[in-house]
Amino acid sequence: MNQVRKHTFEAVSLLTADNGMLDVTLVPAINQPDWIIPSSLILSVDNYDDRIWTYLWQQQEVMVFHLLPCDQTPDKLIVLEGNTTVHRLALQTAGELRELKVRISDVKDAELPERYVDVAISNIDYNKAKDDGFNIYKQISSEDEGENNRQDIVEEHFRENVVLSYLFQTVVIDDIPYIVPDLDKISHQLVDLDS
């Protein structure tokens, strides 16, 4: 008889279920919906009012992702667990965190509201002007279903101020939009960019 192997858990789940309920924390964000993350991933919330790119947390350097524009003053860092200690992540933001217990059935997939799409597109245009030859953008083609027209679309690989990518999913709870980030992919992007 074969020995049963215990599964090794490789990815940190964004939404964990306990009897159909989610314990989440709402993290304030500027120019995008607030982020919703599992409360169990939060290792610490530290007061910090300087904008930084790495944070020394318990003698470990943690990459920082900003949820507010450069001209806004942050007031806290939220350190999140990652798949490995290297892939821990800190979110820098301003405002109060809110904890919420929500039913899984109350979380609905949604499209990013138009006002945030407009901000993201203007951020893409701003970022393109500041690209300076780093080739952050790539051209991709798509066909319009109705007319079979080819359109060239510019896709941004990874920028903090643009939530129009595979790294972010919009959900609605009680008619309020939130962003569910793919924290694992974001942390891997940040670590890759740093190395």
Side-chain angles (χ1 to χ4, degrees):
M1 180 176 206
N2 291 340
Q3 184 180 12
V4 177
R5 286 187 179 180
K6 186 175 180 182
H7 175 69
T8 56
F9 186 69
E10 294 178 5
V12 175
S13 175
L14 292 181
L15 299 176
T16 57
D18 181 22
N19 297 327
M21 298 296 286
L22 304 172
D23 289 320
V24 296
T25 299
L26 304 177
V27 180
I30 308 286
N31 295 329
Q32 58 184 285
D34 289 345
W35 283 26
I36 185 170
I37 58 172
S39 298
S40 61
L41 292 182
I42 297 175
L43 298 174
S44 75
V45 178
D46 304 329
N47 293 328
Y48 205 92
D49 58 4
D50 291 327
R51 188 177 179 91
I52 56 174
W53 298 101
T54 58
Y55 180 59
L56 191 60
W57 180 78
Q58 295 188 356
Q59 300 168 348
Q60 177 201 355
E61 195 171 82
V62 177
M63 300 303 295
V64 176
F65 189 91
H66 305 93
L67 298 180
L68 63 170
C70 295
D71 59 350
Q72 300 271 334
T73 303
D75 65 14
K76 68 179 49 68
L77 278 163
I78 303 135
V79 180
L80 303 175
E81 184 60 273
N83 283 342
T84 67
T85 56
V86 173
H87 292 98
R88 285 185 176 142
L89 172 69
L91 302 176
Q92 193 162 36
T93 190
E96 293 303 313
L97 304 180
R98 293 179 298 148
E99 292 188 15
L100 185 65
K101 194 171 198 76
V102 64
R103 272 193 204 315
I104 293 173
S105 60
D106 291 339
V107 179
K108 309 288 185 207
D109 288 338
E111 294 295 319
L112 188 66
E114 194 63 36
R115 67 182 183 272
Y116 297 118
V117 172
D118 293 342
V119 169
I121 289 171
S122 70
N123 286 338
I124 288 173
D125 293 339
Y126 173 78
N127 292 343
K128 280 174 54 179
K130 296 188 76 171
D131 187 16
D132 295 333
F134 287 110
N135 297 321
I136 302 282
Y137 303 88
K138 67 177 181 176
Q139 291 291 119
I140 57 175
S141 298
S142 77
E143 290 188 13
D144 187 45
E145 291 178 11
E147 303 170 0
N148 286 339
N149 289 338
R150 279 192 70 186
Q151 296 178 341
D152 288 330
I153 300 170
V154 176
E155 179 185 83
E156 189 162 19
H157 290 269
F158 179 72
R159 288 287 180 104
E160 291 177 322
N161 63 353
V162 178
V163 291
L164 295 176
S165 79
Y166 65 96
L167 297 171
F168 306 98
Q169 170 64 45
T170 307
V171 296
V172 172
I173 301 170
D174 295 330
D175 296 324
I176 300 171
Y178 298 100
I179 292 284
V180 178
D182 190 329
L183 297 171
D184 182 45
K185 287 182 182 167
I186 291 171
S187 68
H188 277 80
Q189 289 272 4
L190 289 173
V191 169
D192 290 347
L193 288 175
D194 188 50
S195 55

